[in-house]
């Protein structure tokens, strides 16, 4: 029997599980972020939360009078949880650099700071980094800087006392903004578990058990393997058995994993032949909802249906089966891309925005009589880039009236974003020349779609519906 939430009464278990999901979804909770009730909910259950999150997941919860900070153990490099701009777009490298420099500059200021003064301080540091810079005379630089400041403001590290950041970004000669600085929240925002100056690779941030003070030894290693397996299921859309080593595979198959995660989160663990998934029907724990509203999500859903249908073909029309990159290979590739921007002799090599792989996991499709395969090697249906472009062209021709005009007119960008979304949901993995279909994709085999009108009935599950792209989807 699971020992999770031992001190929580059955009548209060649902409230406790809501607090668990809250702190997992928002690792930093402050008096105003993500809402005014969140901090009280976490502080009410602080003691059992600390105990359970450490025991089940190896996560440390640190609470103060005005903050609750969850320190996660990091097992891999995840490109699916970016900081977001005011327009809801992922931060690029320039914005991340401005965010870090802003944090450093705020540490040198008093209780308040003017936005223009803060921009000058960040600019003085940014100019020393080759390829970065911050020119407040340039609107794109001001917008990127204000995105970083707004990210901190949303979390309460900065509080607008007067003026407008948006107005300053529009014309810094005529507008200004004044901010109060919250030191406690600022410290909670940036709380590294490593001395960053000593890192030689981003991979040094992984394997956080040592950083969190967890014990060593054989028994502790088994306990940490169990925690790693639970984290894998919790933090990813699906944990594929084919992607796990022997020790982790045993933990993924253990009945205790499902019992502990279900008791902790209140969600359901689903087991299939290919792997394990934690099902979040509410969407309140997941950072990405799929299916979802918007042009990219709807195009991705329809593309998933076409890939899934192609997977079912047999005979001479069957798709070619190829092995997927291993987890270690994917980690090494991502690490190389990130490490390319590490300081070298005091300079950052490159700050230009780069695309990153968004794939996690492999697949368990089998090919009867597949000759030349390695023993135990799993292969997956492969679709080429040209095939994908052709299918997206068909989708756009049939349903493009409901797509956003800018994406409809840029099919390559739409395809790239749709494939990134499918990869982030572990539905495909992107490889050179195309993509490999993963087992979870089969869920969307029967998707149908139509262009929605204002008088159309409410959609059913897994049906792609399109409307005016400026209108909010009432089903979201």
């Amino acid at each position: 029997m699971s020992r999770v939430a031992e001190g929580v009464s059955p009548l209060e278990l649902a409230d406790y599980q809501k607090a668990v999901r809250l702190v997992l979804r928002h690792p930093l909770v402050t008096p105003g972020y993500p809402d005014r009730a969140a901090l009280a909910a976490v502080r009410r259950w602080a003691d059992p939360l600390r105990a359970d999150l450490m025991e089940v997941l190896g996560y440390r919860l640190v609470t103060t009078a005005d903050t609750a900070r969850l320190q996660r153990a990091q097992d891999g490099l995840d490109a699916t949880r970016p900081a977001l701009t005011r327009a809801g777009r992922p931060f690029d490298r320039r914005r991340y650099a401005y965010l870090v420099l802003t944090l450093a500059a705020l540490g040198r200021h008093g209780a308040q700071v003017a936005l223009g003064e803060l921009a000058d301080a960040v600019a003085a540091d940014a100019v020393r980094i080759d390829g970065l810079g911050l020119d407040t005379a340039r609107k794109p630089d001001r917008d990127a800087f204000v995105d970083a400041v707004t990210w901190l403001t949303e979390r309460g590290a900065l509080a607008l006392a007067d003026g407008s950041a948006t107005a300053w970004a529009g014309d810094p000669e005529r507008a200004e903004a004044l901010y109060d600085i919250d030191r406690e929240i600022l410290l909670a925002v940036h709380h590294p578990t490593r001395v960053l100056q000593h890192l030689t690779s981003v991979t040094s941030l992984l394997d956080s058990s040592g950083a969190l003070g967890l014990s060593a030894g054989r028994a502790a290693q088994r306990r940490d393997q169990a925690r790693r397996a639970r984290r894998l299921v919790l933090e990813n859309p699906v944990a594929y058995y084919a992607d796990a080593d022997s020790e982790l595979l045993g933990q993924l198959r253990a009945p205790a994993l499902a019992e502990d995660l279900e008791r902790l989160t209140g969600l359901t663990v689903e087991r299939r032949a290919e792997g394990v998934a934690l099902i979040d029907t509410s969407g309140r724990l997941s950072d990405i909802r799929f299916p979802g509203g918007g042009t990219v999500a709807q195009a991705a859903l329809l593309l998933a249906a076409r890939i899934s249908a192609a997977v079912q073909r047999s005979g001479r029309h069957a798709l070619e089966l190829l092995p997927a990159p291993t987890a270690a290979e994917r980690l090494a590739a991502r690490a190389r891309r990130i490490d390319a921007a590490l300081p070298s002799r005091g300079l950052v090599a490159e700050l230009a925005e780069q695309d990153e792989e968004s794939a996690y996991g492999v697949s368990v499709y089998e090919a009867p009589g597949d000759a030349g395969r390695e023993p135990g090697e799993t292969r997956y249906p492969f679709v080429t880039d040209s095939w994908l472009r052709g299918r997206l062209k068909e989708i756009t021709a049939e349903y493009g009236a409901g797509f956003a005009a800018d994406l409809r007119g840029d099919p390559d960008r739409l395809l790239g974003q749709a494939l990134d979304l499918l990869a982030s949901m572990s539905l495909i993995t992107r490889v050179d020349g195309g993509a490999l279909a993963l087992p979870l994709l089969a869920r969307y085999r029967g998707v149908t779609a139509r262009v929605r009108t204002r008088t159309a009935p409410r959609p059913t599950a897994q049906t792609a519906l399109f409307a005016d792209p400026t209108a909010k989807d009432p089903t979201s």
Side-chain angles (χ1 to χ4, degrees), residues 59 86 109 125 169 204 207 210 229 359 413 428:
Y59 293 170
R86 291 166 292 162
H109 283 79
D125 292 333
S204 299
D207 189 21
R413 182 161 69 100
I428 65 168

Side-chain angles (χ1 to χ4, degrees), residues 374-385:
E374 296 292 332
E377 181 185 63
T378 308
R379 297 193 174 196
Y380 320 95
F382 172 69
V383 289
T384 65
D385 286 333

Side-chain angles (χ1 to χ4, degrees), residues 3-269:
R3 300 181 62 185
V4 175
E6 274 192 314
V8 180
S9 72
L11 292 177
E12 295 180 312
L13 182 59
D15 287 339
Y16 174 70
Q17 291 167 338
K18 286 181 181 178
V20 170
R21 295 194 296 269
L22 172 64
V23 78
L24 288 173
R25 180 68 180 86
H26 301 283
L28 175 64
V29 180
T30 67
Y33 182 82
D35 56 57
R36 295 187 180 278
L39 185 61
V42 174
R43 289 181 60 82
R44 175 191 175 192
W45 300 105
D47 289 340
L49 281 173
R50 269 192 290 269
D52 287 342
L53 291 170
M54 175 58 75
E55 179 61 29
V56 177
L57 300 168
Y59 293 170
R60 172 171 290 169
L61 179 65
V62 179
T63 56
T64 66
D66 290 325
T67 65
R69 186 68 162 94
L70 185 65
Q71 298 177 359
R72 278 184 161 96
Q74 196 74 17
D75 302 306
L77 302 176
D78 186 358
T80 68
R81 298 181 178 93
L84 298 178
T85 68
R86 291 166 292 162
R89 299 181 182 277
F91 270 30
D92 54 22
R93 284 187 167 184
R94 181 173 298 276
R95 284 169 169 78
Y96 279 121
Y98 288 167
L99 176 59
V100 173
L101 293 178
T102 299
L103 286 167
L106 288 171
R108 303 191 294 268
H109 283 79
Q112 287 188 324
V113 64
L115 186 59
E117 179 186 0
L118 182 60
D120 290 340
V122 171
D125 292 333
V127 75
R128 296 199 295 265
I129 302 175
D130 187 36
L132 182 58
L134 171 57
D135 184 355
T136 55
R138 297 183 67 250
K139 182 67 160 56
D141 283 11
R142 296 198 302 271
D143 285 338
F145 172 67
V146 170
D147 280 335
V149 170
T150 301
W151 190 92
L152 291 172
T153 304
E154 289 172 348
R155 284 149 184 81
L158 293 172
L160 183 65
D162 192 19
S164 167
T166 301
W168 179 89
D171 187 352
E173 297 296 329
R174 296 188 176 186
E176 185 56 279
L178 181 67
Y179 288 92
D180 296 324
I181 302 173
D182 190 309
R183 295 289 170 193
E184 185 173 316
I185 297 177
L186 200 64
L187 180 63
V189 168
H190 184 61
H191 198 91
T193 56
R194 298 286 197 278
V195 179
L196 300 183
Q197 292 89 336
H198 297 171
L199 300 184
T200 58
S201 170
V202 68
T203 55
S204 299
L205 293 171
L206 305 181
D207 189 21
S208 299
S209 58
L212 294 179
L214 305 181
S215 57
R218 184 169 298 178
Q221 289 175 355
R222 288 196 298 269
R223 184 167 61 252
D224 288 344
Q225 280 285 357
R227 288 168 172 159
R228 182 184 165 205
R230 298 185 196 106
R231 292 195 296 264
L232 187 61
V233 175
L234 175 74
E235 301 283 4
N236 295 277
V238 60
Y240 289 119
Y241 293 141
D243 207 28
D245 56 42
S246 57
E247 292 185 355
L248 193 61
L249 181 60
Q251 294 292 346
L252 288 173
R253 294 186 182 276
L257 179 142
E259 187 178 355
D260 289 342
L261 284 179
E262 289 179 349
R263 174 81 175 171
L264 180 67
T265 65
L267 306 181
T268 301
V269 172

